[in-house]
């Protein structure tokens, strides 16, 4: 019974960690390419949640098709938001900060007007448990975890080996030099925003059947995403993955022993401890 | 081939270029010499679109390019090797070269050019999986030039290619510049090392505080008393 509890806490932790990583990746990607931080990034997650509510709960659409739809719709929104709002504030941290705070309020209020302020629930598409070596696993949580891992791996392969992924890295390392190779820096910034928004929306779809959907659900994952990228190192994708796993496991295990407010503090305590030793985060470089 | 007319460029309120006009013919090496802050780098940045001029026109092969963004200027056939090398330090040598070929769709011809680059710069072949940031200064300079050539430019802007390099490396950079030019690429060479620049170039412009102070065939400038005194150390 004791080991059952511990293993479930670990599985839960890894799942939550991977979902946070999906949110964090977009944040860190956009930061490394545009040197701006989008505080409204959590709202892409929230919109993913509503996509799940309308397509799965209302229309009965397939779970994975819903993910694809959320990526397309919210990704396109991200692309447009970069083009219309953030482009003039490239490399202007403060200007972009103010724009993104405004965007948080606009998107949350728009969601309240459009979807109402009541919490909505999305039925679980995968009921049942899996019994492995005498330990029970929730099928749904396994699917969420595996889907998130697959997406993180896909993003890594895209950044590492595709032409546009290489262009993203080039812009992150030296945007002027990238432009001199013929890379359209503005288009790459839009692409980074779209990819990041799509990933955050996917996280929102994945988690919607486990939690409720409301206009303000983006607030928590954005905080977790910040903890993760500061922990792992700003701009580093492996860093985000590592940070997400550490935070997820710490919260998962911590939830056995600690109250919920204490668990939420845990991430901040870890960040402070890591920054004291490694000011650039675990895998960050200058 | 390249024609710059009455170029003015401002950084904020500071006027970096007051009035620069220059011409580069097909197959030529043209040098821009001058002191620090004379406007050499700014001229190149304006040509490649990194800095938008306040006034003046830039024409390349009959097309006006002074309002085009940098990535579009690469597409018309101008390559720029910026000052300070500006590699992608966390990418491998091979990835840096591939970035130079970003706009080219034909994989076969890119592969051929990669082989050619490795022939021309054997040191890059030996280190092709190494991160660019770990190369020596001379190797980084070769990689920056090789990367620009991967875009198949017809005009190459070279900004201070000899800066901070040992004399032996400077000599090999000079012979590489000649070699590239021999293959039909026109070159604008910006150099503090005026002697090297004037030896390589057929013509040169001397910039002083944002203006063209002198221009002419390199031989004539090498013999000019003012140039000798100010730029060639007496």
């Amino acid at each position: 019974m004791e080991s059952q509890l511990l293993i479930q806490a670990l599985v839960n932790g890894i799942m939550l960690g991977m979902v946070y990583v999906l949110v964090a990746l977009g944040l860190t990607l956009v930061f490394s390419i545009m040197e701006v931080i989008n505080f409204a990034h959590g709202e892409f997650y929230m919109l993913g949640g509503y996509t799940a509510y309308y397509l799965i709960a209302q229309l009965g659409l397939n779970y994975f098709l819903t993910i694809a739809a959320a990526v397309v719709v919210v990704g396109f929104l991200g692309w447009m938001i970069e083009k219309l709002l953030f482009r003039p504030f490239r490399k202007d941290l403060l200007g972009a900060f103010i724009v993104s705070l405004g965007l948080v309020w606009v998107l949350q209020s728009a969601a309240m007007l459009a979807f109402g302020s009541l919490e909505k629930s999305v039925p679980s598409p995968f009921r049942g448990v899996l019994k492995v070596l005498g330990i029970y696993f929730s099928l749904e949580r396994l699917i969420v975890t595996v889907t998130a891992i697959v997406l993180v791996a896909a993003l890594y392969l895209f950044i590492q080996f595709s032409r546009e992924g290489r262009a993203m890295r080039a812009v992150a390392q030296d945007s002027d030099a990238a432009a001199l190779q013929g890379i359209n820096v503005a288009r790459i910034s839009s692409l980074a925003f779209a990819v990041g928004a799509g990933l955050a929306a996917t996280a929102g779809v994945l988690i919607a059947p486990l939690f409720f959907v409301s206009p303000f659900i983006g607030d928590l994952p954005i905080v977790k995403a910040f903890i993760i990228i500061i922990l792992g190192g700003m701009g580093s994708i492996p860093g985000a993955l590592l940070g997400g796993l550490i935070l997820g496991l710490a919260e998962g295990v911590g939830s056995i022993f600690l109250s919920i407010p204490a668990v939420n503090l845990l991430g901040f305590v870890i960040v402070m401890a890591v920054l004291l030793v490694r000011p650039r985060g675990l895998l960050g470089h200058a | 081939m390249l024609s710059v007319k009455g170029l003015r460029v401002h950084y904020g309120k500071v006027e970096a270029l007051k009035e620069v006009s220059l011409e580069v013919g097909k197959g030529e090496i043209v040098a821009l010499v001058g002191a620090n802050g004379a406007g050499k780098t700014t001229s190149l940045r304006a040509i490649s679109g990194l800095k938008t001029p306040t006034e003046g026109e830039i024409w390349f092969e009959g097309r006006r390019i002074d309002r085009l963004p940098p990535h579009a200027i690469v597409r018309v056939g101008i390559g720029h090797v910026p000052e300070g090398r500006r590699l992608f330090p966390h990418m491998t040598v091979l990835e840096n070269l591939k970035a130079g070929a970003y706009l080219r769709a034909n994989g076969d011809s890119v592969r051929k050019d990669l082989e050619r680059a490795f022939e021309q710069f054997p040191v890059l072949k030996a280190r092709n999986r190494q991160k660019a940031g770990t190369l020596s200064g001379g190797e980084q300079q070769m990689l920056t030039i090789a990367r620009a050539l991967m875009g198949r430019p017809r005009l190459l802007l070279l900004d201070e290619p000899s800066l901070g390099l040992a004399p032996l490396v400077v000599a090999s950079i000079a012979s590489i510049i000649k070699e590239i030019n021999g293959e039909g690429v026109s070159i604008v060479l910006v150099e503090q090392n005026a002697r090297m620049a004037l030896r390589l170039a057929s013509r040169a412009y001397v910039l002083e505080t944002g203006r063209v102070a002198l221009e002419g065939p390199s031989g004539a400038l090498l013999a000019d008393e003012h140039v000798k005194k100010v730029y060639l150390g007496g």
Side-chain angles (χ1 to χ4, degrees), chain A residues 163-164 169 173-174 181, chain B residues 86 88-90 95 102 147:
Chain A
R163 175 173 176 264
E164 299 305 317
R169 281 187 290 147
Q173 288 171 35
D174 190 329
Q181 315 312 315
Chain B
R86 308 288 290 268
F88 306 119
H90 307 297
E95 286 175 327
Y102 177 76
R147 183 181 66 179

Side-chain angles (χ1 to χ4, degrees), chain A residues 119-179:
Chain A
E119 292 181 332
K120 312 253 195 252
S121 70
V122 176
S124 169
F126 304 101
R127 288 164 204 279
V129 289
L130 218 65
K131 192 178 172 189
V132 182
L133 299 170
I135 293 159
Y136 292 97
F137 294 97
S138 137
L139 186 60
E140 174 171 36
R141 283 169 194 241
L142 283 181
I143 286 175
V144 168
T145 311
V146 170
T147 309
I149 290 172
V150 167
L151 284 169
V152 172
L155 178 76
Y156 180 77
L157 294 176
F158 170 73
I159 301 262
Q160 208 57 31
F161 299 110
S162 75
R163 175 173 176 264
E164 299 305 317
R166 238 187 343 257
M168 282 186 178
R169 281 187 290 147
V171 173
Q173 288 171 35
D174 190 329
S175 58
D176 273 359

